């Protein structure tokens, strides 16, 4: 009954932490493609190829349901995977939809036409590839009208977080927020469109101001996954063990992951 969690690096650990707390009886297999991170500067074809390979590896671990806890993969590869690649009996879900449902106050599976919502000015902070895909705007348009989205590609932030350089990461976040505010001086809400960014949520909030509601993904994805598994228990899968897999050096990745989550994490070679 294992569920797979995939990310290009360590950012998806924020999602893993939240879903594991929400669903303590479910084994989770985490796959970090650290050897090829970051995805945010790769082409869409490259992201698709790497994401498919990682998903197949998680299927090998008995995970019939895989969560792409990577906004770049969700933006650049998920739609193509679902339309052209996914075999029967398997599911791959992304991390954008729970965010958008929270932003637009719509329930899961609400397929009614898009309507006006309270929030009119939204700031999106994401990797360059996620911003270029316009996937967030596309998904939002299915549910809401009249929302102005200003997207800021946050180059360098993921690298700084992965390397454990919090001072650089904080400086970059403040710089990116200032760049966005020059184009949208008064956002009402901000989307942290990368699973690394919850570690910088306090910095984003300080730079944006207390009047801006900041949406972070981990807990929203956890709640959405819990609901999904109640409705679709057939996708629990056959796996029975929790584990951490990486395409990178397991010892090195384990050290960074332990620093990242502030608890001991031990990775195996994927």
């Amino acid at each position: 009954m294992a569920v797979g969690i995939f990310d290009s690096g360590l950012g998806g650990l924020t999602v893993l932490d939240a879903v594991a707390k929400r669903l303590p009886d479910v084994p989770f297999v985490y796959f970090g493609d650290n050897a090829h991170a970051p995805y945010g500067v790769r082409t869409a074809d490259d992201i698709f190829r790497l994401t498919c390979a990682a998903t197949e590896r998680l299927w090998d671990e008995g995970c019939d349901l895989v969560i792409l806890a990577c906004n770049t993969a969700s933006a650049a590869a998920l739609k193509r995977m679902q339309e052209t690649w996914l075999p029967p009996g398997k599911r791959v879900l992304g991390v954008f939809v729970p965010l958008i449902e929270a932003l637009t106050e719509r329930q899961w599976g609400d397929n009614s036409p898009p309507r006006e919502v309270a929030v009119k000015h939204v700031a999106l902070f994401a990797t360059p590839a996620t911003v270029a895909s316009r996937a967030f705007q596309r998904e939002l348009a299915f549910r809401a009208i009249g929302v102005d989205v200003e997207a800021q590609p946050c180059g360098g932030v993921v690298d700084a977080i992965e390397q454990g350089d919090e001072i650089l990461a904080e400086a970059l976040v403040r710089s990116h927020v200032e760049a966005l505010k020059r184009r949208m001086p008064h956002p009402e809400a901000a989307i942290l469109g990368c699973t690394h960014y919850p570690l910088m949520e306090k910095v984003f909030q300080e730079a944006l101001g207390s009047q801006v509601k900041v949406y972070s993904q981990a807990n929203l994805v956890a709640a959405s996954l819990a609901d999904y598994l109640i409705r679709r228990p057939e996708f629990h899968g056959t796996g029975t063990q929790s584990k951490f897999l990486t395409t990178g050096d397991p010892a090195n990745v384990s050290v960074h992951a332990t620093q990242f989550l502030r608890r001991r994490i031990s990775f195996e070679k994927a």
Side-chain angles (χ1 to χ4, degrees):
M1 55 180 289
V3 173
I5 306 286
F6 163 73
D7 187 43
S8 59
L10 300 179
L13 291 173
T14 60
V15 172
L16 174 75
D17 216 29
V19 297
K21 287 173 182 172
R22 181 73 180 241
L23 299 164
D25 298 326
V26 175
F28 289 97
V29 181
Y30 185 89
F31 184 107
D33 192 12
N34 301 78
H36 302 107
Y39 278 18
V41 295
R42 290 184 173 275
T43 66
D45 283 345
D46 212 12
I47 294 165
F48 176 78
R49 177 181 60 80
L50 291 168
T51 304
C52 288
T55 300
E56 288 179 327
R57 181 66 181 85
L58 286 165
W59 289 344
D60 291 342
E61 293 291 331
C63 303
D64 291 343
L65 171 62
V66 174
I67 308 299
L68 302 187
C70 173
N71 287 271
T72 302
S74 292
L78 178 61
K79 192 169 187 286
R80 182 175 168 189
M81 292 171 76
Q82 292 174 333
E83 291 178 349
T84 68
W85 180 78
L86 202 61
K90 307 290 186 185
R91 286 291 184 276
V92 179
L93 303 176
V95 287
F96 272 141
V97 172
L99 262 182
I100 292 169
E101 288 170 347
L103 179 70
T104 58
E105 298 182 339
R106 289 169 76 111
Q107 298 298 312
W108 191 96
D110 178 352
N111 294 318
S112 61
R115 58 179 181 262
E116 289 203 16
V117 294
V119 176
K120 301 297 184 187
H121 303 286
V122 175
L124 169 66
F125 297 95
T127 66
T130 296
V131 170
S133 75
R134 293 188 61 83
F136 177 83
Q137 291 91 324
R138 184 178 66 241
E139 293 291 339
L140 180 63
F142 290 139
R143 296 163 179 83
I145 57 175
V147 181
D148 179 25
V149 177
E150 188 65 54
Q152 174 65 31
C154 297
V157 175
V158 168
D159 286 325
I161 291 173
E162 291 266 339
Q163 292 160 13
D165 192 337
E166 290 188 27
I167 294 173
L168 176 58
E170 181 173 335
L172 286 168
V173 165
R174 294 187 185 280
S175 173
H176 288 308
V177 170
E178 286 306 309
L180 181 133
K181 288 174 76 174
R182 285 194 289 271
R183 303 191 305 276
M184 179 182 277
H186 304 293
E188 298 165 85
I191 302 295
L192 303 190
C194 174
T195 48
H196 287 74
Y197 298 175
L199 294 174
M200 293 285 114
E201 184 172 351
K202 184 179 177 183
V203 182
F204 274 104
Q205 186 73 73
E206 287 175 354
L208 286 160
S210 58
Q211 77 283 0
V212 179
K213 182 171 176 57
V214 175
Y215 288 85
S216 190
Q217 289 173 309
N219 290 330
L220 294 172
V221 171
S224 183
L225 176 60
D227 181 58
Y228 187 86
L229 289 174
I230 289 170
R231 289 179 292 99
R232 305 299 299 272
E234 69 271 25
F235 290 111
H236 271 278
T238 59
T240 57
Q241 284 187 305
S242 293
K243 61 178 66 175
F244 297 85
L245 304 172
T246 179
T247 56
D249 173 57
N252 185 48
V253 173
S254 296
V255 168
H256 285 296
T258 297
Q259 294 171 339
F260 193 89
L261 277 191
R262 293 179 172 83
R263 64 179 173 88
R264 180 161 177 73
I265 303 290
S266 183
F267 274 81
E268 306 170 25
K269 190 71 176 176

